[in-house]
Amino acid sequence: MSGGLVGSELCIRACSTPAPAVAQPAAPAAEAEAPPPAVPAPETLAAAASTPPAPSPAAAAPVAAKPPPAPPPEAPAAPPPAPVPAPAVVAAAALTPPSMEAAMPPPRDAAEIDREQRAQREQAAAERALRERAEQEAQQLQQQQRQEAGRQEAKRFEMARLEAERAEAVARQEEAARQEAEREAARVEIARLEVERQEAERQATAHEEAARREAAAQQAEAARREAAERQAAAARAAAAAQQEAARQEAARQESARAEAARQAAERQTAAQREAAQQQQQQAAAQQEAQRREEIARQEAAARAEAARLEAERQAAAQRAAAQQAAAAAQAQREAAAQAQQEAARQEAARVEAARVEAARLEAERQLAAQQAAAAAAQQEAARQEAARLEAVRLEAERQAAAQRAAAQQLAAQEAARQEAARAEAARLDAERQAAAAQAAAQQAAAQQAAAQQAAAQQAAAQQAAAAAAAQAAAAQQAAAQEAARQEGAARAAEAARQEGERQAAAAQAAAQQQAAAQQAAAQQAAAQDGARTEAARLAAERAEHEAKREERLRAIGRQLDEERARRDAADAAALRDPQGSPLRRGRLFGLVDNNEELVRYAEAWARKIQLNSNTFELVREAVKQPHTNPVVTVAIRADGSVESVTFVRTSGVAAIDEAIPRIIQSLANYPAFSPALSRQYDVVEIRRTWHFDVAIRLY
């Protein structure tokens, strides 16, 4: 059995290497001519089998090791199968040792040849199986290489897609930033337009107020002119009364002259009767009587002439005195009118000066009140700031024991501070409204006082006119009484007529006074109605202003809510698809947020700026100028470096706006993100309102 195995192995080795010395076409002829070989003896077979041949490198190469398959792209074509040698040649090659290649093989039997052929067929089948296995391995290797190339290509395509998506995300972020900048510019423009509209409304209100004051001044001037006209009318009435008194005095004098003439005639008649009696009594002395009568007649004529001349002289003197009195009265009336006009002008000037002085005092009082309110607000802000700093210090001490409890306490304090700030803002707004209402009430009171003063002036003028009328009436009454005493019963009817005229004049004066009083009451009521209308208008304007302010605040709240919703949606989308954005950004645009890590980091960042006293020196001189508290957004990377500084609202002072980025950059780098925060965000945007008093405050 062992000899057979050794022989088979030798046969396989011989068959695996073709014999170059044997020609393939000549083999059948040699087999046909050669006699059948004799079967060698068993000893010979054993010796041949026991002698191992020296294998050549070419024959031993296929059996010793299988060559590794070449890569598919460079793999050569499989070699053609070696030609199967003739059985005789195979047997000779198998039984002939290398050292005895020239010797002829011993004869063999058919069974051995059959075994050798079967072994050759098995060897060929094994070689074919090896070749098929090698081809299969080559195909598998080629398939693997193709799959690897496909994977590499797919990976390259995926990397290109990710790069394109990243570029698209950057473009989206830039577009979002541009849109945000445009929205911010639009908000700034809207705020500017709102400020301009409010300024225009304020100017329009000031113009209306000036026009209203001008109208009030015109009304006061018209009232003053009307009072002057009434005074002039009263003066004219007084002049007419004086003329009437002069006329009555002339009539009285004329009646006195007639009475004197009548008395002279009566005396002459009495003298004639006495002369007649003397003629009757003294018949003897007729001549003497005649002479005396002639003398008496002459004397009476002389006396009558003298009386006539005296009466004429007295009448001329009375006329001259009446003319002088009329001229004096006219001069007095003109002087009185001028004095009244001068007094009215002085009174108007005094009223105007008093009004200007009252306005100045009111402006000074309001300015003092505003300054006091500003000082109180600053003191309150300083006190609140001191309280806040104390709270921050206590909060820092509590954070050493328990950070989470400290964060919750800080949030509670921040909410309380916001509530206090809101209450303070509400208080200031209420004070402003109260001041506006007080100013409106004072203005209405001033208008009402002016109206009352004008009414008082009108009433005084009317009283003066009434007094003048009363004096004229009294003078007329005295003249009537004197005429009644002098004329007696004959002038009773004239006195009654004059009394009726006086009563009519008094009734007319009373009616005029009552009409003037009614007019003053109507003017006062109109002034009060105007004041109430003005107060109602101011209240309506305040209500409209408050409604517009509430509407603006609601619009700003809605806009902030929409921006917050968009940011939350963007953050949620970034968390769902991390490849959609190259940087994960967190935003804190207030003091409170659901993310406690983000709130703690923002508070630590703000404390670093607030507690550094050297930074305030950069803006100490600039903040003395009138400015607006700026709103700044600072973007900080995970390593604590500053990515950008963006102004949401500028201060209006270039020095302050330039100093803020320098302050932020001078304190970099800031603390790095905590592990929990860095797992969520790559960049954090913190928005704060910068307030400057004795230090930098971030709200």
Side-chain angles (χ1 to χ4, degrees):
M1 186 67 181
S2 62
L5 294 174
V6 172
S8 299
E9 184 178 359
L10 292 175
C11 181
I12 291 170
R13 289 178 179 177
C15 292
S16 62
T17 304
V22 180
Q24 293 294 336
E31 289 180 359
E33 294 176 356
V39 178
E43 293 81 3
T44 306
L45 293 173
S50 61
T51 304
S56 64
V63 180
K66 181 176 72 174
E74 294 83 8
V84 180
V89 178
V90 173
L95 297 177
T96 303
S99 61
M100 299 174 63
E101 292 178 358
M104 296 297 293
R108 296 177 296 174
D109 58 357
E112 186 176 359
I113 292 172
D114 187 29
R115 285 196 300 274
E116 290 178 357
Q117 290 179 354
R118 199 165 45 248
Q120 289 177 358
R121 287 193 296 273
E122 292 175 355
Q123 178 67 23
E127 289 181 355
R128 283 195 301 273
L130 289 173
R131 284 195 298 272
E132 291 176 358
R133 189 166 60 252
E135 290 176 357
Q136 290 178 358
E137 290 178 355
Q139 291 177 358
Q140 291 178 357
L141 183 59
Q142 290 179 356
Q143 183 68 21
Q144 291 176 358
Q145 289 180 350
R146 284 194 298 273
Q147 292 178 356
E148 182 66 23
R151 283 195 297 273
Q152 292 291 336
E153 186 68 18
K155 186 176 181 181
R156 187 175 64 81
F157 287 157
E158 182 66 19
M159 290 178 66
R161 184 184 65 81
L162 292 177
E163 184 66 25
E165 291 179 353
R166 190 176 297 108
E168 185 179 357
V170 171
R172 284 199 301 271
Q173 285 186 350
E174 292 178 353
E175 181 65 20
R178 185 183 63 79
Q179 292 178 357
E180 181 66 22
E182 290 179 355
R183 286 194 295 272
E184 187 63 30
R187 286 196 294 271
V188 171
E189 183 66 19
I190 291 172
R192 184 183 65 79
L193 292 176
E194 181 65 21
V195 170
E196 291 180 354
R197 187 186 62 78
Q198 291 179 357
E199 182 66 20
E201 289 181 354
R202 187 183 64 77
Q203 292 179 358
T205 304
H207 288 317
E208 291 178 358
E209 183 65 21
R212 189 177 58 77
R213 290 181 179 178
E214 184 67 22
Q218 291 178 358
Q219 290 179 357
E221 182 67 19
R224 186 183 64 79
R225 290 178 180 176
E226 185 177 357
E229 290 178 357
R230 283 197 296 271
Q231 290 177 359
R236 287 193 298 271
Q242 289 178 357
Q243 290 177 359
E244 182 65 22
R247 184 184 64 78
Q248 291 178 0
E249 180 66 22
R252 184 184 63 79
Q253 291 177 359
E254 182 66 23
S255 36
R257 186 181 64 80
E259 182 66 19
R262 184 183 62 79
Q263 291 177 0
E266 289 178 354
R267 284 195 300 273
Q268 187 176 4
T269 304
Q272 288 177 359
R273 283 194 301 270
E274 185 178 358
Q277 290 175 3
Q278 288 177 1
Q279 285 177 2
Q280 290 176 4
Q281 292 175 3
Q282 296 176 2
Q286 184 176 5
Q287 295 178 352
E288 183 68 25
Q290 291 178 352
R291 185 181 59 84
R292 290 179 179 178
E293 183 179 358
E294 183 66 23
I295 293 171
R297 185 181 62 77
Q298 292 177 354
E299 289 178 355
R303 284 195 298 271
E305 184 65 22
R308 184 181 64 78
L309 294 175
E310 181 66 21
E312 290 178 355
R313 185 184 63 79
Q314 290 180 357
Q318 288 177 357
R319 285 195 296 272
Q323 290 177 357
Q324 291 178 357
Q330 183 66 24
Q332 289 179 357
R333 286 194 297 274
E334 291 178 355
Q338 291 179 357
Q340 288 178 356
Q341 290 179 358
E342 182 66 22
R345 188 183 60 78
Q346 292 178 358
E347 182 66 20
R350 186 185 63 77
V351 171
E352 182 65 21
R355 186 185 64 79
V356 173
E357 182 67 19
R360 186 182 63 79
L361 293 176
E362 180 65 20
E364 291 179 355
R365 187 188 63 76
Q366 291 180 359
L367 180 60
Q370 291 177 358
Q371 291 177 353
Q378 289 180 356
Q379 292 178 359
E380 182 66 19
R383 185 185 63 76
Q384 290 181 358
E385 185 62 26
R388 193 183 67 80
L389 290 176
E390 182 66 19
V392 169
R393 184 182 65 79
L394 295 175
E395 183 65 20
E397 292 178 356
R398 285 194 295 273
Q399 280 182 357
Q403 291 184 354
R404 186 175 183 81
Q408 294 176 354
Q409 185 67 21
L410 183 61
Q413 290 179 357
E414 184 60 30
R417 191 183 66 78
Q418 288 182 352
E419 182 64 25
R422 186 185 64 77
E424 181 65 18
R427 184 182 66 79
L428 292 176
D429 195 15
E431 290 181 355
R432 181 182 62 77
Q433 293 179 358
Q438 186 177 3
Q442 291 177 355
Q443 186 175 3
Q447 293 178 356
Q448 186 174 3
Q452 290 178 356
Q453 188 174 5
Q457 291 178 357
Q458 293 177 0
Q462 292 173 359
Q463 288 178 0
Q471 290 178 0
Q476 290 177 1
Q477 185 177 4
Q481 290 177 358
E482 182 68 19
R485 279 196 307 271
Q486 292 178 0
E487 293 177 356
R491 300 301 180 184
E494 184 68 18
R497 184 183 64 79
Q498 292 178 357
E499 182 65 17
E501 291 178 354
R502 184 189 64 78
Q503 291 178 358
Q508 185 177 2
Q512 290 179 355
Q513 185 175 2
Q514 184 178 2
Q518 291 178 357
Q519 184 177 3
Q523 290 179 354
Q524 184 176 2
Q528 292 178 355
D529 292 339
R532 285 195 295 271
T533 305
E534 184 67 17
R537 186 182 64 80
L538 293 176
E541 289 180 354
R542 285 197 299 272
E544 183 180 1
H545 178 71
E546 290 297 327
K548 290 181 179 178
R549 178 174 174 273
E550 292 294 331
E551 183 62 25
R552 288 196 299 271
L553 292 177
R554 284 195 293 270
I556 292 172
R558 288 194 298 271
Q559 185 176 3
L560 293 176
D561 292 341
E562 291 174 359
E563 292 178 357
R564 178 65 176 273
R566 286 196 297 270
R567 289 196 301 271
D568 294 341
D571 294 340
L575 292 176
R576 289 194 301 270
D577 186 12
Q579 296 179 355
S581 176
L583 294 176
R584 298 167 300 169
R585 309 182 76 87
R587 296 176 177 86
L588 181 61
F589 291 171
L591 297 177
V592 293
D593 195 86
N594 295 330
N595 193 333
E596 296 180 357
E597 290 291 332
L598 183 58
V599 173
R600 281 197 291 271
Y601 184 83
E603 289 296 331
W605 171 81
R607 281 197 300 273
K608 185 173 182 180
I609 294 178
Q610 293 177 140
L611 298 179
N612 194 327
S613 60
N614 296 328
T615 57
F616 185 71
E617 298 298 328
L618 298 175
V619 294
R620 180 181 296 276
E621 296 298 326
V623 297
K624 294 179 181 179
Q625 304 177 17
H627 64 278
T628 304
N629 292 336
V631 179
V632 184
T633 300
V634 181
I636 303 175
R637 301 185 184 94
D639 58 352
S641 61
V642 178
E643 181 188 62
S644 64
V645 177
T646 306
F647 280 86
V648 179
R649 182 182 65 200
T650 62
S651 64
V653 178
I656 298 176
D657 297 340
E658 293 172 0
I660 289 176
R662 292 202 301 271
I663 292 172
I664 295 172
Q665 295 291 347
S666 66
L667 297 178
N669 281 346
Y670 296 95
F673 291 359
S674 63
L677 190 61
S678 61
R679 284 194 297 270
Q680 299 177 16
Y681 306 112
D682 297 326
V683 178
V684 170
E685 296 180 3
I686 303 174
R687 180 177 294 177
R688 287 290 186 270
T689 300
W690 291 58
H691 177 73
F692 307 93
D693 44 16
V694 296
I696 297 177
R697 317 294 182 194
L698 302 182
Y699 299 119

